[in-house]
Coordinates of all heavy atoms in Angstrom, one line a residue:
I49 N 38.5 26.3 19.5 CA 39.6 26.5 20.5 C 40.9 26.9 19.8 O 41.3 26.2 18.7 CB 39.8 25.2 21.2 CG1 38.4 24.8 21.9 CG2 40.9 25.4 22.3 CD1 38.4 23.2 22.2
L50 N 41.5 28.0 20.2 CA 42.7 28.4 19.5 C 43.9 28.4 20.6 O 43.8 28.9 21.7 CB 42.6 29.9 19.0 CG 43.7 30.4 18.1 CD1 43.9 29.6 16.8 CD2 43.4 31.9 17.8
G51 N 45.1 27.8 20.1 CA 46.2 27.8 20.9 C 47.1 29.0 20.5 O 46.7 30.1 20.4
G52 N 48.3 28.6 20.0 CA 49.2 29.7 19.5 C 49.0 30.0 18.0 O 49.7 30.8 17.4
G53 N 48.1 29.3 17.4 CA 47.7 29.6 16.0 C 48.8 29.2 15.0 O 48.8 29.7 13.9
S54 N 49.6 28.2 15.3 CA 50.7 27.8 14.4 C 50.4 26.7 13.5 O 51.2 26.1 12.7 CB 52.0 27.5 15.2 OG 51.8 26.4 16.1
N55 N 49.2 26.2 13.5 CA 48.7 25.1 12.7 C 47.3 25.4 12.1 O 46.6 24.4 11.8 CB 48.8 23.8 13.4 CG 49.1 22.7 12.5 OD1 49.8 22.8 11.5 ND2 48.7 21.4 12.8
V56 N 47.0 26.6 11.9 CA 45.7 27.0 11.4 C 45.8 28.0 10.2 O 46.7 28.8 10.2 CB 44.8 27.6 12.5 CG1 44.3 26.5 13.5 CG2 45.4 28.7 13.2
L57 N 44.8 27.8 9.3 CA 44.7 28.9 8.3 C 43.3 29.4 8.3 O 42.4 28.6 8.0 CB 45.1 28.3 6.9 CG 44.7 29.2 5.7 CD1 45.6 30.4 5.7 CD2 44.8 28.4 4.4
F58 N 43.2 30.7 8.6 CA 41.8 31.3 8.5 C 41.6 31.7 7.1 O 42.3 32.6 6.7 CB 41.7 32.5 9.5 CG 41.7 32.0 11.0 CD1 42.8 32.1 11.7 CD2 40.5 31.6 11.5 CE1 42.8 31.7 13.1 CE2 40.5 31.2 12.9 CZ 41.6 31.3 13.6
T59 N 40.5 31.2 6.5 CA 40.2 31.6 5.1 C 39.1 32.7 5.1 O 38.8 33.3 4.0 CB 39.8 30.5 4.2 OG1 38.7 29.9 4.8 CG2 40.8 29.4 4.1
K60 N 38.5 32.9 6.2 CA 37.6 34.0 6.3 C 37.4 34.4 7.8 O 38.0 33.8 8.7 CB 36.2 33.5 5.8 CG 35.7 32.1 6.4 CD 34.5 31.7 5.7 CE 33.9 30.3 6.1 NZ 34.7 29.2 6.0
N61 N 36.6 35.4 8.0 CA 36.4 35.8 9.4 C 35.6 34.7 10.2 O 34.9 34.0 9.5 CB 35.5 37.1 9.5 CG 36.2 38.3 9.0 OD1 37.5 38.3 9.0 ND2 35.5 39.3 8.5
Y62 N 35.9 34.5 11.4 CA 35.3 33.4 12.1 C 33.9 33.8 12.8 O 33.9 34.7 13.7 CB 36.2 32.9 13.2 CG 35.7 31.6 13.7 CD1 35.8 30.4 13.0 CD2 35.1 31.5 15.0 CE1 35.2 29.2 13.4 CE2 34.5 30.3 15.5 CZ 34.6 29.2 14.7 OH 34.1 27.9 15.1
D63 N 32.8 33.3 12.2 CA 31.5 33.7 12.7 C 31.1 32.9 13.9 O 30.1 32.1 13.8 CB 30.6 33.5 11.5 CG 29.2 34.1 11.8 OD1 29.1 35.0 12.6 OD2 28.3 33.7 11.2
G64 N 31.8 33.0 15.0 CA 31.5 32.2 16.2 C 32.4 32.7 17.3 O 32.9 33.8 17.2
T65 N 32.6 31.9 18.2 CA 33.4 32.2 19.4 C 34.8 31.6 19.4 O 34.8 30.3 19.3 CB 32.7 31.9 20.7 OG1 31.4 32.5 20.7 CG2 33.5 32.3 21.9
I66 N 35.8 32.3 19.4 CA 37.1 31.7 19.5 C 37.5 31.7 21.0 O 37.4 32.8 21.7 CB 38.2 32.6 18.8 CG1 37.9 32.6 17.3 CG2 39.6 32.1 19.2 CD1 38.7 31.7 16.4
L67 N 37.8 30.5 21.5 CA 38.2 30.4 22.9 C 39.7 30.2 23.1 O 40.3 29.4 22.5 CB 37.6 29.1 23.5 CG 36.1 29.1 23.6 CD1 35.6 27.7 24.1 CD2 35.7 30.2 24.6
R68 N 40.3 31.0 24.1 CA 41.7 30.8 24.3 C 41.8 30.4 25.7 O 41.1 30.9 26.7 CB 42.5 32.1 24.0 CG 42.7 32.4 22.6 CD 44.2 32.2 22.1 NE 45.2 32.8 22.9 CZ 46.2 32.0 23.4 NH1 46.4 30.9 23.1 NH2 47.1 32.7 24.2
Y69 N 42.8 29.5 26.1 CA 43.0 29.1 27.5 C 44.5 29.2 27.8 O 45.2 28.2 27.6 CB 42.4 27.7 27.6 CG 42.6 27.1 29.0 CD1 41.5 27.6 29.9 CD2 43.5 26.3 29.5 CE1 41.5 27.1 31.2 CE2 43.6 25.9 30.8 CZ 42.6 26.3 31.6 OH 42.6 25.8 33.0
P70 N 45.0 30.4 28.1 CA 46.4 30.6 28.2 C 47.0 30.2 29.6 O 48.1 30.6 29.8 CB 46.6 32.1 27.9 CG 45.2 32.7 28.2 CD 44.2 31.7 28.2
A71 N 46.2 29.5 30.4 CA 46.7 29.2 31.8 C 48.0 28.5 31.8 O 48.2 27.5 31.0 CB 45.6 28.4 32.5
K72 N 48.9 28.9 32.6 CA 50.3 28.3 32.8 C 50.4 27.6 34.0 O 49.7 27.7 35.0 CB 51.3 29.5 32.6 CG 51.2 30.2 31.3 CD 52.5 30.8 30.9 CE 52.4 31.7 29.7 NZ 52.0 31.0 28.5
G73 N 51.6 26.8 34.0 CA 52.0 26.1 35.3 C 52.5 24.7 34.8 O 51.9 24.0 34.1
I74 N 53.8 24.4 35.3 CA 54.4 23.1 35.1 C 54.8 22.5 36.5 O 55.4 23.3 37.3 CB 55.7 23.3 34.3 CG1 55.4 24.0 32.9 CG2 56.3 21.9 34.0 CD1 56.6 24.2 32.0
K75 N 54.4 21.3 36.7 CA 54.9 20.7 38.0 C 55.2 19.2 37.8 O 54.6 18.5 37.0 CB 54.0 21.0 39.1 CG 52.6 20.5 39.0 CD 51.7 20.9 40.2 CE 50.3 20.3 40.0 NZ 49.3 21.0 40.6
I76 N 56.0 18.8 38.8 CA 56.4 17.3 38.8 C 55.3 16.7 39.7 O 55.2 17.2 40.9 CB 57.8 17.1 39.4 CG1 58.8 17.6 38.4 CG2 58.0 15.6 39.6 CD1 60.2 17.8 38.9
I77 N 54.5 15.7 39.3 CA 53.5 15.2 40.2 C 53.8 13.9 40.8 O 53.2 13.5 41.7 CB 52.1 15.1 39.5 CG1 52.2 14.4 38.1 CG2 51.6 16.6 39.2 CD1 50.8 14.1 37.6
E78 N 54.8 13.1 40.2 CA 55.2 11.8 40.7 C 56.5 11.5 40.1 O 56.8 11.8 39.0 CB 54.1 10.8 40.2 CG 54.1 9.5 41.1 CD 53.1 8.5 40.4 OE1 52.0 8.9 39.9 OE2 53.5 7.3 40.3
E79 N 57.3 10.8 40.9 CA 58.6 10.4 40.4 C 59.1 9.2 41.1 O 58.8 8.9 42.3 CB 59.6 11.4 40.3 CG 60.0 12.1 41.6 CD 61.0 13.3 41.4 OE1 61.9 13.2 40.6 OE2 60.6 14.3 42.0
N80 N 60.0 8.4 40.5 CA 60.7 7.3 41.2 C 62.1 7.4 40.6 O 62.5 8.4 39.9 CB 60.1 5.9 41.0 CG 59.9 5.5 39.5 OD1 60.8 5.9 38.7 ND2 58.9 4.8 39.2
S81 N 62.9 6.4 40.8 CA 64.4 6.5 40.3 C 64.5 6.4 38.8 O 65.4 6.9 38.3 CB 65.2 5.4 41.0 OG 64.6 4.2 40.7
S82 N 63.4 5.9 38.2 CA 63.5 5.8 36.7 C 62.7 6.8 35.9 O 63.1 7.2 34.9 CB 63.0 4.4 36.2 OG 63.7 3.4 37.0
Y83 N 61.6 7.1 36.4 CA 60.6 7.9 35.7 C 60.2 9.1 36.5 O 60.1 9.1 37.7 CB 59.4 7.1 35.3 CG 59.7 6.1 34.2 CD1 59.9 4.8 34.4 CD2 59.8 6.6 32.9 CE1 60.3 3.9 33.4 CE2 60.1 5.8 31.9 CZ 60.4 4.4 32.1 OH 60.7 3.6 31.0
V84 N 59.6 10.1 35.7 CA 59.0 11.3 36.3 C 57.8 11.7 35.6 O 57.7 11.6 34.3 CB 60.0 12.4 36.4 CG1 60.6 12.8 35.0 CG2 59.4 13.8 37.0
F85 N 56.8 12.0 36.2 CA 55.5 12.4 35.6 C 55.4 14.0 35.7 O 55.5 14.5 36.8 CB 54.3 11.8 36.3 CG 54.2 10.3 36.0 CD1 55.0 9.4 36.7 CD2 53.5 9.8 34.9 CE1 55.0 8.0 36.5 CE2 53.4 8.4 34.6 CZ 54.2 7.5 35.4
V86 N 55.4 14.6 34.5 CA 55.4 16.1 34.6 C 54.1 16.5 34.0 O 53.6 16.1 32.9 CB 56.5 16.7 33.6 CG1 56.5 18.1 33.6 CG2 57.9 16.2 34.2
E87 N 53.4 17.4 34.8 CA 52.1 17.9 34.3 C 52.3 19.4 34.0 O 52.9 20.2 34.6 CB 51.1 17.9 35.6 CG 49.7 18.4 35.2 CD 48.9 18.5 36.5 OE1 48.3 17.5 36.9 OE2 48.8 19.6 37.0
S88 N 51.6 19.6 32.8 CA 51.7 21.0 32.3 C 50.4 21.5 32.0 O 49.5 20.8 31.4 CB 52.6 21.1 31.0 OG 52.5 22.4 30.5
S89 N 50.1 22.8 32.3 CA 48.9 23.4 31.9 C 48.9 23.7 30.4 O 50.0 23.9 29.9 CB 48.7 24.7 32.7 OG 47.5 25.3 32.3
A90 N 47.6 23.7 29.8 CA 47.6 23.8 28.3 C 48.2 25.0 27.7 O 48.6 25.0 26.6 CB 46.1 23.7 28.0
G91 N 48.2 26.1 28.5 CA 48.6 27.4 28.0 C 50.1 27.6 28.0 O 50.6 28.7 27.5
E92 N 50.9 26.7 28.5 CA 52.3 26.9 28.5 C 52.8 26.7 27.0 O 52.2 25.9 26.2 CB 53.0 25.7 29.3 CG 52.9 25.9 30.7 CD 53.9 26.9 31.3 OE1 54.8 27.4 30.6 OE2 53.7 27.3 32.5
L93 N 53.9 27.4 26.7 CA 54.4 27.2 25.4 C 55.1 25.8 25.4 O 55.8 25.5 26.4 CB 55.5 28.3 25.0 CG 55.0 29.6 24.7 CD1 56.1 30.6 24.5 CD2 54.0 29.6 23.6
W94 N 54.9 25.1 24.3 CA 55.5 23.7 24.2 C 56.9 23.8 24.4 O 57.6 23.0 25.3 CB 55.1 23.1 22.9 CG 55.9 21.8 22.7 CD1 57.1 21.6 22.0 CD2 55.7 20.5 23.4 NE1 57.5 20.3 22.2 CE2 56.7 19.6 23.0 CE3 54.6 20.1 24.2 CZ2 56.8 18.3 23.4 CZ3 54.7 18.8 24.7 CH2 55.7 17.9 24.3
D95 N 57.6 24.8 23.8 CA 59.1 24.8 23.9 C 59.6 25.2 25.4 O 60.7 24.8 25.7 CB 59.7 25.8 22.9 CG 61.2 25.5 22.6 OD1 61.5 24.3 22.5 OD2 61.9 26.4 22.6
D96 N 58.8 25.8 26.1 CA 59.1 26.1 27.5 C 59.1 24.9 28.4 O 59.9 24.7 29.2 CB 58.1 27.2 28.1 CG 58.5 28.6 27.6 OD1 59.4 28.8 26.9 OD2 57.6 29.5 27.8
L97 N 58.1 24.1 28.0 CA 58.0 22.8 28.7 C 59.3 21.9 28.3 O 59.8 21.2 29.3 CB 56.7 22.0 28.3 CG 56.6 20.6 28.9 CD1 56.6 20.5 30.4 CD2 55.3 19.9 28.3
V98 N 59.7 21.9 27.1 CA 60.9 21.2 26.7 C 62.1 21.7 27.4 O 62.9 20.9 28.0 CB 61.1 21.3 25.1 CG1 62.4 20.7 24.7 CG2 59.9 20.7 24.4
T99 N 62.2 23.0 27.5 CA 63.3 23.6 28.2 C 63.4 23.2 29.7 O 64.4 22.8 30.3 CB 63.3 25.2 28.1 OG1 63.3 25.5 26.8 CG2 64.5 25.8 28.8
F100 N 62.2 23.2 30.3 CA 62.0 22.8 31.8 C 62.6 21.4 31.9 O 63.3 21.1 32.9 CB 60.5 22.9 32.2 CG 60.2 22.3 33.5 CD1 60.1 23.2 34.6 CD2 60.0 21.0 33.7 CE1 59.9 22.7 35.8 CE2 59.6 20.5 34.9 CZ 59.6 21.3 36.0
C101 N 62.2 20.5 31.0 CA 62.6 19.1 31.1 C 64.1 18.9 30.8 O 64.8 18.2 31.5 CB 61.8 18.2 30.2 SG 60.0 18.2 30.6
I102 N 64.6 19.6 29.8 CA 66.0 19.5 29.5 C 66.9 20.0 30.7 O 67.9 19.3 31.1 CB 66.3 20.4 28.2 CG1 65.7 19.8 27.0 CG2 67.8 20.6 28.1 CD1 65.8 20.6 25.7
E103 N 66.5 21.1 31.3 CA 67.2 21.6 32.5 C 67.3 20.6 33.6 O 68.1 20.6 34.5 CB 66.6 22.9 32.9 CG 67.1 24.0 32.0 CD 66.4 25.4 32.2 OE1 65.4 25.4 33.1 OE2 66.8 26.4 31.5
K104 N 66.3 19.7 33.7 CA 66.2 18.8 34.8 C 66.8 17.4 34.4 O 66.6 16.5 35.2 CB 64.8 18.7 35.3 CG 64.3 20.0 35.9 CD 63.2 19.7 36.9 CE 63.0 20.8 37.9 NZ 63.3 22.1 37.5
N105 N 67.2 17.3 33.1 CA 67.7 16.0 32.7 C 66.6 15.0 32.6 O 66.7 13.8 33.0 CB 68.9 15.4 33.4 CG 70.2 16.2 32.9 OD1 70.4 16.2 31.7 ND2 71.0 16.5 33.9
F106 N 65.3 15.4 32.2 CA 64.2 14.4 32.0 C 64.2 14.2 30.5 O 64.0 15.0 29.7 CB 62.9 15.1 32.5 CG 62.8 15.4 33.9 CD1 61.8 16.3 34.4 CD2 63.6 14.8 34.8 CE1 61.7 16.6 35.7 CE2 63.5 15.1 36.2 CZ 62.6 16.0 36.6
Y107 N 64.5 12.9 30.2 CA 64.7 12.5 28.8 C 63.4 12.1 28.1 O 62.5 11.5 28.7 CB 65.7 11.3 28.7 CG 67.0 11.7 29.2 CD1 67.3 11.5 30.6 CD2 68.0 12.1 28.4 CE1 68.6 11.8 31.1 CE2 69.3 12.4 28.9 CZ 69.5 12.3 30.2 OH 70.7 12.6 30.7
G108 N 63.3 12.5 26.9 CA 62.1 12.1 26.1 C 61.6 13.1 25.0 O 61.1 12.7 24.0
I109 N 61.7 14.4 25.4 CA 61.2 15.4 24.4 C 62.2 16.3 23.8 O 61.8 17.3 23.2 CB 59.9 16.2 25.1 CG1 60.3 16.8 26.5 CG2 58.8 15.3 25.2 CD1 59.2 17.7 26.9
E110 N 63.5 16.0 24.1 CA 64.5 16.8 23.5 C 64.4 16.9 22.0 O 64.7 17.9 21.4 CB 65.9 16.4 24.0 CG 66.3 15.0 23.8 CD 65.7 14.0 24.8 OE1 65.0 14.4 25.7 OE2 65.9 12.8 24.5
N111 N 64.0 15.8 21.3 CA 63.9 15.9 19.8 C 62.8 16.8 19.4 O 62.7 17.1 18.2 CB 63.7 14.4 19.3 CG 64.9 13.6 19.5 OD1 65.7 13.8 20.3 ND2 65.0 12.6 18.6
L112 N 61.8 17.1 20.3 CA 60.7 18.0 20.0 C 61.0 19.4 20.3 O 60.0 20.2 20.5 CB 59.4 17.4 20.7 CG 59.1 16.0 20.4 CD1 57.8 15.6 21.2 CD2 58.8 15.7 18.9
S113 N 62.2 19.8 20.4 CA 62.6 21.2 20.8 C 62.2 22.0 19.6 O 62.1 21.7 18.4 CB 64.1 21.3 20.7 OG 64.6 20.6 21.9
L114 N 61.8 23.3 20.0 CA 61.5 24.4 19.1 C 60.2 24.2 18.2 O 60.1 24.9 17.2 CB 62.7 24.6 18.1 CG 63.1 26.1 17.8 CD1 63.3 26.9 19.0 CD2 64.2 26.1 16.8
I115 N 59.4 23.3 18.6 CA 58.1 23.2 17.9 C 57.2 24.4 18.4 O 57.1 24.5 19.6 CB 57.4 21.9 18.1 CG1 58.3 20.7 17.4 CG2 56.0 21.9 17.4 CD1 57.7 19.4 17.5
P116 N 56.7 25.3 17.5 CA 55.9 26.3 18.1 C 54.6 25.8 18.7 O 54.1 24.7 18.4 CB 55.6 27.3 16.8 CG 56.6 26.7 15.8 CD 56.9 25.3 16.1
G117 N 53.9 26.7 19.4 CA 52.5 26.4 19.9 C 52.5 26.1 21.3 O 53.5 26.1 22.0

Side-chain angles (χ1 to χ4, degrees):
I49 305 156
L50 187 66
S54 63
N55 211 26
V56 291
L57 169 66
F58 287 101
T59 57
K60 51 183 175 303
N61 290 336
Y62 192 74
D63 189 24
T65 303
I66 298 262
L67 290 176
R68 288 251 314 126
Y69 186 79
K72 296 205 189 300
I74 302 177
K75 61 183 183 209
I76 295 164
I77 52 168
E78 198 186 320
E79 60 187 312
N80 59 33
S81 55
S82 308
Y83 286 101
V84 54
F85 291 83
V86 177
E87 178 188 277
S88 172
S89 181
E92 285 286 346
L93 287 179
W94 171 261
D95 200 44
D96 286 349
L97 175 60
V98 173
T99 303
F100 174 93
C101 295
I102 289 171
E103 282 170 355
K104 297 201 157 30
N105 282 313
F106 296 161
Y107 298 86
I109 51 173
E110 55 284 354
N111 291 27
L112 303 180
S113 292
L114 214 59
I115 297 181

